[in-house]
Every structure is written in C-alpha cells, then in structure tokens.
C-alpha cells in the first residue's frame, strides 16, 4: 500500500493542471512525412521553460507519460516528437531512410526548436507564455543518444572524427539509460544492428544529468552496466550522475503507466527519477542554486536509498 501511495502522490496529485495537445504536424520536406508532436504544458504561469524529449526506439510521442506529465505539472513545457522508428509508423526494414534514422532524429529535435511558435500555438492559452531561451533536451535509450548529439557528442567515422550536430539553443540535457562509448566497446550484435552507436563524448560540453541503472545489462556492449555512465565519465563540462540501484533499461517504468516492457517495474524508482530530474532542471534552467544539492542530500539521508547521486562537477 505504501508503494502504491507514493506512485499516486507522484503522478495523480499534480500541483498544477496540465494542458496537452497531440498529433500536431510540422512540415518536414525530405523526411518522407511530417513530424507528429505532442505538447504538454501547465495551465498557468509565464516565462515557461521548455523540455524537448526524444523517445526510445519504437516508442512515440505518446510514451513516457510519467515524466512528461510530471515535468509539465511542475512548470515545464514538454514537447515530444514521434521519430521515424516509431512502431506505429510501420517503416519497412528495407526502407532507405532506416540507416540514417539516427541523423533524422537529431534533425527532428532541431526542427522543433526552429518552429516552436508554430508548435505552442496549438495549445490554447499557451502562446506568449513560453521562454524560448530556456531549453533543455532529454531522451531515453536511443533518445538519449539523440540528445547526447545535441549536447555535443559525435558519431565517429572510420577516421575517428565526427560531425558536430550540437545545438547551442539547448542549455542542459538529461540522458536516461543512454548508450556509452562505441568502437571496441560494442558487441558483435551492437556493431551489426546499431552501427550508429559509435559515439564519442570528447566534445559533449553542454551540462547534463546522466541517469543509469546498475543492473542495465545491454546486449549492445561487451561491458556491463557501467557502460551507461560513459556520457558522464568521458565528457567535458559540468555533469551530474544518478545511479539507480537494481534498475534495468526501463529504469523502473519511465516509458509509461503500467507498461509491459518494464522488466523492473518499480513506482518508487520512477518517483525518484521524477524528483531528481526536476531538481536538476530547476538548477540548470531556473538558476535555483540549492535544488540539485538539496535533492542529493535528501537522497543520501534516506534509510534505504534507491540510488546515489554525484553532484554537479566541472572538468
């Protein structure tokens, strides 16, 4: 009963009403079809910061409600595109766009930033209440890899170099179960099905919170769960790390309410991610000097903590 109560407190007792619109279409010439977007926002408030969220492989704009709902209820405008790999789009395996979906995903996120006025006008009463200068990007799994490139990570070619696809409009990022270093750290399966994961983090300088599960065993790498902390360890700039005890790839169920793909369903773990990501966003976008440090201290003082956090550091 206690676990159920904590889940309800986090998701059903929102501090502010949330407005949401879905299936907003952005023109995307050359993509093959328009970008469909969901946007969620608090019903009140001005100068609202923005989070653009990139879903994991096969998901869509309708996924990750435990995060989108929570962030919106706490004062953020959350914009979620549907990428071409979404199962509901039914892209054929031999579709010529598939090998470059990793690039199209990044372009989807940038197009949203280009067309924010067009996106926000679809939510009644939101126009004029959004601060376009306060933008964070977040993503889970493949979406984390997409987000990392917006923060400065690069897809490395045979010569060890990669194109800079970062976007300076993004002030901070949150990477959730996002893959680590590519190359020799990829398994044969990883090199076969996900060659786009040859990521390098030497240039990922934008501030970011990396969230990783210490039981996330991925078939894409020859390493263990520590692979998912690479974006924290291998990148320059100010980074923070939240390690979740016993968490597998879905981190307790962030991809939706009562979802079947979560092998480690744990509402309390999801609630922790909600609190910690909110504190991080408040510290980075809203200049709340104590939000992140206070959240870290509170986590460390819990009798049976569900994870551990390393404070924001500069390198």
């Amino acid at each position: 009963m206690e676990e159920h109560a904590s889940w309800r407190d986090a998701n059903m007792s929102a501090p502010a009403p949330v407005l949401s619109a879905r299936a907003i279409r952005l023109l995307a010439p050359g993509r093959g079809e328009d970008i469909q977007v969901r946007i969620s926002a608090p019903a009140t408030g001005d100068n609202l910061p923005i989070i653009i969220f990139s879903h994991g492989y096969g998901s869509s704009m309708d996924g990750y409600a435990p995060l989108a709902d929570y962030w919106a209820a706490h004062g953020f405008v959350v914009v979620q595109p549907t990428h071409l790999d979404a199962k509901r789009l039914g892209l054929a395996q031999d579709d010529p766009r598939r090998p470059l979906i990793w690039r199209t995903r990044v372009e989807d996120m940038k197009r949203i930033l280009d067309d924010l006025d067009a996106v926000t006008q679809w939510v009644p009463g939101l126009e004029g209440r959004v601060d376009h200068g306060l933008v964070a990007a977040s993503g889970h799994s493949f979406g984390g890899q997409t987000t990392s490139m917006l923060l400065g990570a690069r897809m490395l070619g045979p010569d060890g170099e990669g194109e800079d696809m970062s976007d300076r409009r993004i002030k901070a990022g949150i990477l959730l179960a996002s893959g680590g270093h590519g190359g020799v750290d990829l398994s044969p399966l990883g090199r076969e099905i996900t060659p786009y994961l040859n990521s390098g983090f030497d240039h990922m300088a934008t501030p970011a919170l990396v969230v990783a599960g210490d039981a996330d065993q991925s078939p894409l790498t020859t390493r263990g769960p520590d692979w998912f902390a690479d974006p924290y360890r291998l990148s320059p700039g100010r980074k923070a790390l939240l390690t979740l005890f016993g968490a597998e790839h879905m981190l307790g169920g962030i991809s939706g309410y009562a979802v079947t793909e979560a092998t480690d369903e744990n509402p309390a773990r999801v609630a922790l991610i909600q609190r910690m990501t909110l504190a991080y966003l408040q510290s980075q976008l809203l200049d709340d000097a104590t939000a992140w440090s206070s959240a870290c201290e509170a986590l460390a003082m819990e009798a049976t903590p569900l994870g551990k956090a390393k404070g924001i550091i500069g390198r």
Side-chain angles (χ1 to χ4, degrees):
M1 293 296 293
E2 182 179 352
E3 182 178 74
H4 173 75
S6 67
W7 177 251
R8 181 177 177 84
D9 288 344
N11 295 292
M12 298 300 291
S13 301
V18 171
L19 302 174
S20 183
R22 64 179 303 280
I24 300 166
R25 291 183 177 269
L26 294 181
L27 295 177
R31 187 177 183 265
E33 58 184 280
D34 297 340
I35 304 172
Q36 291 196 44
V37 175
R38 171 188 285 270
I39 183 168
S40 304
T44 59
D46 295 309
N47 302 315
L48 301 173
I50 303 157
I51 305 168
I52 53 173
F53 187 88
S54 179
H55 61 73
Y57 181 83
S59 187
S60 72
M61 62 185 172
D62 294 322
Y64 301 91
L67 296 180
D69 292 352
Y70 186 84
W71 291 334
H74 286 80
F76 292 81
V77 177
V78 184
V79 185
Q80 299 173 264
T82 296
H83 298 301
L84 286 177
D85 55 89
K87 290 181 180 178
R88 64 177 53 178
L89 295 182
L91 201 68
Q93 289 299 316
D94 60 353
D95 190 293
R97 292 172 290 177
R98 274 199 175 273
L100 290 178
I101 280 181
W102 64 270
R103 174 181 288 275
T104 306
R105 281 171 149 265
V106 178
E107 293 168 350
D108 289 349
M109 301 283 272
K110 289 186 176 186
R111 192 176 298 274
I112 287 171
L113 292 178
D114 293 341
D115 296 336
L116 269 177
D117 285 332
V119 173
T120 55
Q121 72 180 4
W122 285 96
V123 180
L126 184 58
E127 191 172 5
R129 297 170 49 217
V130 181
D131 190 332
H132 292 202
L134 297 177
V135 180
S138 181
H140 172 246
S141 192
F142 196 3
Q145 193 271 340
T146 300
T147 302
S148 74
M149 297 193 68
L150 293 166
L151 307 182
R154 298 185 182 182
M155 190 73 68
L156 303 181
D159 59 357
E161 298 296 325
E163 179 183 354
D164 180 7
M165 298 186 71
S166 62
D167 196 308
R168 293 185 179 181
R169 291 173 291 185
I170 296 170
K171 307 306 180 185
I174 298 176
L175 307 182
L176 300 148
S178 184
H181 184 264
V184 297
D185 290 332
L186 293 178
S187 66
L189 177 64
R191 289 193 295 271
E192 177 185 349
I193 67 173
T194 55
Y196 48 75
L197 282 180
N198 192 21
S199 297
F201 301 101
D202 290 348
H203 301 280
M204 198 182 84
T206 304
L209 167 63
V210 177
V211 181
D214 70 1
D216 190 351
Q217 298 283 353
S218 174
L220 302 181
T221 180
T222 57
R223 291 165 51 194
D226 69 303
W227 186 60
F228 291 96
D230 279 0
Y232 169 80
R233 289 196 299 260
L234 302 180
S235 63
R238 292 169 57 80
K239 300 296 187 293
L241 176 66
L242 174 63
T243 303
L244 301 168
F245 303 149
E248 298 176 14
H249 199 58
M250 291 300 170
L251 304 177
I254 62 170
S255 59
Y257 300 117
V259 292
T260 57
E261 67 263 28
T263 56
D264 63 335
E265 186 174 5
N266 187 322
R269 184 178 295 137
V270 174
L272 173 62
I273 295 170
Q274 291 169 327
R275 295 194 305 272
M276 297 299 287
T277 55
L278 177 64
Y280 181 79
L281 291 165
Q282 290 170 332
S283 72
Q284 296 300 303
L285 294 187
L286 303 180
D287 295 326
D288 188 330
T290 64
W292 176 251
S293 59
S294 297
C296 292
E297 291 171 5
L299 176 60
M301 293 178 64
E302 292 181 2
T304 54
L306 295 175
K308 61 180 179 180
K310 292 187 177 181
I312 299 171
I313 63 172
R315 299 194 283 281

